[in-house]
């Protein structure tokens, strides 16, 4: 049995006007009590497998000052979180800072910027890339639960004494013949030369993320009814993943240890400009929006793999000299190389709304988007539009006196939307693979020749998928307590992407094409009730569901 006790929670708040600060400190002390059993042997030292330190300290710090003047307001916050694990080789920490500033530059011009930065560091047991638990012989939980329950964990001599190394540490039973038995040699609990304690303690699988987000805007009001706004957002994430496998035990003992570094960078830039006009003519309200948007994304990666180290537990480039590892090693560390992708999307849009006396509503929109994924200019741009209307029945004179009816609105709309997410970044272009034909040395670092190989066929005829949708809905609220929404919809997806079979003589068996159609219809509902509704308490219960059916039309 394993038991954790959590105690010691402290919160301190201090409010000072006009500068308000809120500080929260949470300290948790966790003590591990009890030990897992392994066959007939119970030993308190085994608990070291399941905890990094005896008392785990989780610390959270949060600081938030905020102030405002007649023309400027700002907000700054910062935080730190540390979250160790009860299993060695696993931990997490994060610190972040954020600021938001807005200012009224002139009577008609307003500006602001929002910035944030965070650093996340995650260490997990060094097994494989991703979420795979890795080699079963390196997985601590499998080592304890699925191994030979009759075999002891530690090495014993003929006197029943635990064997130790020169530093006094107990030696793990990690190979055949290291535990005395009057019946002859005994096998270890798992595979030979796998010491799970050393693997969990020395091997590294660490990911460090640095996130930077910036968003600035300018907003100008002019001619009473017009508002122009332009904004620029930049989001960037830089990640470094570090892998290290020791050379004394585990999978890489025959390769002198393993080492890998993966660098990944992602940047997204979004520029948006909108011009809004709004005016009331008595009971008539009209507004319109004209806009332009540009989005550019770049992602790049670089992977370095090596083996054959000199100094134990020295996780750096200079300690490894075999630049290309074996295929078995690359299965968990990856291979040397990298790549870069860039895509761009640009769009123009127009939207107009009209309502009369908050009873009759009409809305229309149109937009066109161009994607860099499509090679031909004629296929690059897609046009999409929508038209909708609504009738708020509850605002009609002939039903206003119905006290049981709080709100009732009937609506309908038809529109088209585009999709290009299922298309590869370079599907419309001819791409080539550049590779070595062989190697002049056993380390596979000097090619004997090179070759160009054409990748998938260029698919320049690809274009946008277009989805046409009808929707009819009803919104209601009764006795200001019961509420709900019911929608019926029907859609047709044209130019749907489909892998069309083709002759193998062309080098591939299928090619993507806008050759399919799909029909979908369905109904959705959301029903609820406010069980308790007072100025201070609101307790609601709701249920939602839906049903739909899709069929391939072509």
């Amino acid at each position: 049995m394993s038991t954790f006790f959590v105690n010691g929670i402290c919160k301190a708040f201090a409010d000072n006007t006009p500068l308000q600060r809120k500080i929260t400190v949470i300290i948790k002390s966790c003590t591990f009590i009890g030990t897992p059993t392994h066959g007939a042997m119970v030993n308190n030292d085994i608990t070291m497998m399941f905890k990094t330190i005896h008392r785990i300290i989780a610390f959270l710090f949060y600081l938030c000052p905020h102030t405002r003047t007649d023309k400027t307001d700002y907000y700054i916050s910062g935080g730190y979180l540390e979250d160790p694990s009860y299993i060695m080789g696993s931990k997490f920490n994060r610190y972040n800072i954020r600021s938001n500033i807005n200012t009224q530059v002139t009577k008609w011009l307003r500006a602001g910027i929002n910035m944030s930065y965070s650093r996340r560091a995650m260490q997990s047991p060094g097994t494989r890339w991703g979420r795979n638990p890795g080699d079963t012989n390196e997985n601590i939980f499998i080592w304890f639960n699925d191994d030979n329950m009759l075999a002891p964990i530690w090495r014993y001599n003929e006197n029943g004494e635990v064997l130790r190394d020169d530093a006094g540490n107990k030696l793990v039973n990690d190979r055949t013949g290291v535990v005395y038995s009057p019946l002859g040699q005994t096998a270890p609990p798992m595979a030979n030369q796998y010491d799970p304690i050393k693997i969990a303690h020395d091997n590294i699988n660490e990911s460090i993320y640095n996130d930077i987000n910036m968003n600035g805007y300018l907003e100008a009001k002019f001619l009473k009814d017009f508002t122009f706004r332009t904004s620029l957002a930049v989001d960037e994430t830089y990640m470094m993943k570090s892998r290290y496998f020791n050379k004394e035990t585990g999978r890489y003992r025959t390769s002198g240890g393993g080492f890998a570094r993966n660098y990944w960078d992602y940047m997204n830039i979004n520029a948006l400009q909108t011009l809004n006009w709004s005016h009331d003519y008595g009971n008539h309200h009209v507004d319109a929006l004209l806009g332009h948007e540009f989005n550019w994304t770049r992602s790049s990666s670089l992977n370095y793999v090596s083996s054959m180290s000199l100094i134990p537990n020295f996780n750096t480039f200079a300690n490894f000299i075999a630049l290309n590892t074996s295929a078995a090693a690359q299965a968990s560390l990856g291979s040397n190389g990298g790549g870069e992708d860039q895509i761009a999307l640009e769009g123009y849009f127009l939207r107009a709304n009209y309502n009369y006396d908050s009873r009759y509503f009409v809305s229309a929109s149109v937009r066109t988007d161009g994607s860099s994924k499509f090679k031909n200019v004629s296929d690059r741009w897609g046009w999409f539009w929508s038209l909708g209307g609504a009738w708020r029945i509850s605002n009609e004179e002939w039903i206003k006196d119905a006290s049981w009816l709080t709100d009732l609105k009937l609506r309908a709309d038809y529109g088209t939307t585009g999709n290009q997410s299922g298309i590869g970044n370079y599907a419309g272009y001819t791409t080539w693979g550049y590779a070595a034909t062989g190697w002049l040395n056993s380390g596979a670092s000097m090619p004997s020749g090179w070759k160009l190989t054409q990748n998938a066929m260029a698919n320049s005829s690809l274009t946008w998928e277009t989805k046409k949708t009808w929707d009819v809905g009803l919104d209601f609220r009764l006795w200001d307590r019961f509420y709900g929404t019911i929608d019926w919809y029907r859609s047709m997806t044209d130019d749907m992407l489909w892998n069309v079979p083709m002759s193998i003589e062309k080098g591939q068996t299928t090619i993507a094409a806008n050759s399919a159609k799909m029909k979908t219809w369905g109904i959705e509902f959301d029903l609820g009730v406010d069980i308790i509704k007072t100025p201070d308490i609101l307790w609601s219960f709701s249920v939602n569901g839906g049903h739909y059916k899709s069929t391939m039309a072509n």
Side-chain angles (χ1 to χ4, degrees), residues 95-248:
Y95 57 81
N96 60 279
I97 186 171
R98 177 188 172 191
S99 67
N100 186 23
I101 304 173
N102 299 282
T103 183
Q104 193 73 39
V105 182
T106 66
K107 185 178 180 180
W108 55 272
L109 182 62
R110 184 173 176 82
I113 186 170
N114 189 343
M115 298 180 294
S116 66
Y117 166 76
S118 69
R119 182 186 185 275
R120 297 168 287 147
M122 294 172 285
Q123 163 69 29
S124 60
T127 53
R128 295 183 180 176
W129 291 110
R131 302 177 181 177
N132 192 308
D135 191 326
T136 56
N137 299 306
E138 296 176 343
N139 188 298
I140 292 178
F141 296 100
I142 294 179
W143 203 83
F144 269 99
N145 297 324
D146 294 346
D147 57 2
N148 181 358
M149 303 302 291
L150 297 178
I153 293 179
W154 311 113
R155 302 183 188 182
Y156 289 87
N157 60 21
E158 62 273 15
N159 298 322
E161 299 170 338
V162 178
L163 300 179
R164 300 175 182 269
D165 60 18
D166 295 338
N169 300 314
K170 294 182 179 181
L171 295 175
V172 174
N173 178 16
D174 63 346
R175 64 194 67 187
T176 300
V178 296
V179 174
Y180 171 79
S181 172
L183 301 178
Q185 290 188 344
T186 59
M190 292 291 281
N192 272 315
Q193 300 187 43
Y194 275 80
D195 182 344
I197 295 178
K198 185 172 182 60
I199 290 172
H201 185 271
D202 292 351
N203 290 4
I204 295 174
N205 178 17
E206 183 183 45
S207 298
I208 299 176
Y209 292 84
N210 289 274
D211 305 302
I212 301 175
N213 308 100
M214 296 179 289
N215 188 350
Y217 74 91
L218 286 173
E219 186 178 88
K221 296 181 180 294
F222 58 98
L223 299 179
K224 185 180 180 180
D225 297 326
F226 290 88
T227 301
F228 175 78
R229 183 184 177 97
T230 179
S231 63
L232 179 65
V234 179
D235 301 312
E236 183 163 17
T237 296
Y238 177 78
M239 185 273 291
M240 183 187 74
K241 193 179 188 75
S242 181
R243 301 299 307 275
Y244 170 78
F245 289 86
N246 76 84
K247 67 177 183 177
E248 287 84 12

Side-chain angles (χ1 to χ4, degrees), residues 352-382:
N353 297 311
Y354 167 80
N355 87 72
Y356 172 72
D357 199 23
S358 295
R359 285 185 289 169
Y360 310 110
F361 302 83
V362 178
S363 178
S365 67
V366 62
R367 69 175 295 149
T368 179
D369 291 287
S371 172
S372 63
K373 293 184 177 182
F374 307 114
K375 180 179 180 180
N376 297 329
V377 177
S378 58
D379 300 318
R380 183 171 296 170
W381 292 88

Side-chain angles (χ1 to χ4, degrees), residues 321-548:
I321 59 174
L323 298 184
N324 285 273
T325 61
S326 64
Q330 292 181 3
S332 57
L333 292 176
S335 58
N336 288 308
E340 181 172 329
D341 288 302
Q342 296 185 25
I343 56 175
L345 182 67
E346 187 172 21
Y348 299 86
F349 52 92
L350 173 65
R351 186 195 67 203
N353 297 311
Y354 167 80
N355 87 72
Y356 172 72
D357 199 23
S358 295
R359 285 185 289 169
Y360 310 110
F361 302 83
V362 178
S363 178
S365 67
V366 62
R367 69 175 295 149
T368 179
D369 291 287
S371 172
S372 63
K373 293 184 177 182
F374 307 114
K375 180 179 180 180
N376 297 329
V377 177
S378 58
D379 300 318
R380 183 171 296 170
W381 292 88
W383 287 85
F384 315 102
W385 60 275
S386 67
L387 180 65
W391 176 27
R392 176 160 274 127
I393 303 173
S394 55
N395 281 0
E396 294 290 350
E397 292 294 335
W398 48 271
I399 202 173
K400 273 188 174 182
D401 295 334
S403 60
W404 55 273
L405 183 62
T406 307
D407 188 32
L408 180 63
K409 184 168 69 173
L410 179 67
R411 49 187 169 74
D413 60 77
Y414 173 82
T416 63
T417 56
N419 176 43
Q420 47 109 38
S421 59
I423 299 175
N425 293 340
Y426 313 107
Y429 304 85
T430 301
T431 59
W432 299 81
Y434 177 44
T437 57
W439 305 99
L440 295 175
N441 60 333
S442 59
S445 60
M446 180 60 66
S448 58
W450 59 273
K451 62 181 178 179
L452 283 176
T453 305
Q454 184 176 345
N455 297 325
M457 290 182 58
N459 202 347
S460 58
S461 62
L462 289 177
T463 187
W464 292 82
E465 287 184 354
T466 302
K467 186 176 182 179
K468 307 171 184 177
T469 303
W470 275 101
D471 181 86
V472 178
L474 182 69
D475 304 326
F476 63 88
R477 188 174 184 89
L478 309 177
W479 292 285
D480 199 23
R481 187 171 296 269
F482 301 92
Y483 57 90
T485 297
I486 301 174
D487 279 277
W488 175 89
Y489 62 90
R490 183 177 181 227
S491 65
M492 170 69 80
T493 303
D494 291 331
D495 296 326
M496 185 176 169
L497 289 177
W498 192 262
N499 287 329
V500 179
M502 63 182 303
S503 173
I504 189 62
E505 295 177 353
K506 296 184 178 181
Q508 58 193 68
T509 57
T510 61
I511 188 170
N514 299 101
S515 60
K517 291 185 178 182
M518 185 172 68
K519 292 181 180 179
T520 302
W521 67 267
I523 186 171
E524 296 177 346
F525 66 87
D526 186 356
L527 306 175
V529 58
D530 295 333
I531 300 175
I532 299 178
K533 187 178 181 181
T534 69
D536 300 320
I537 300 175
L538 176 61
W539 179 22
S540 299
F541 173 82
S542 64
V543 60
N544 61 75
H547 172 76
Y548 72 92

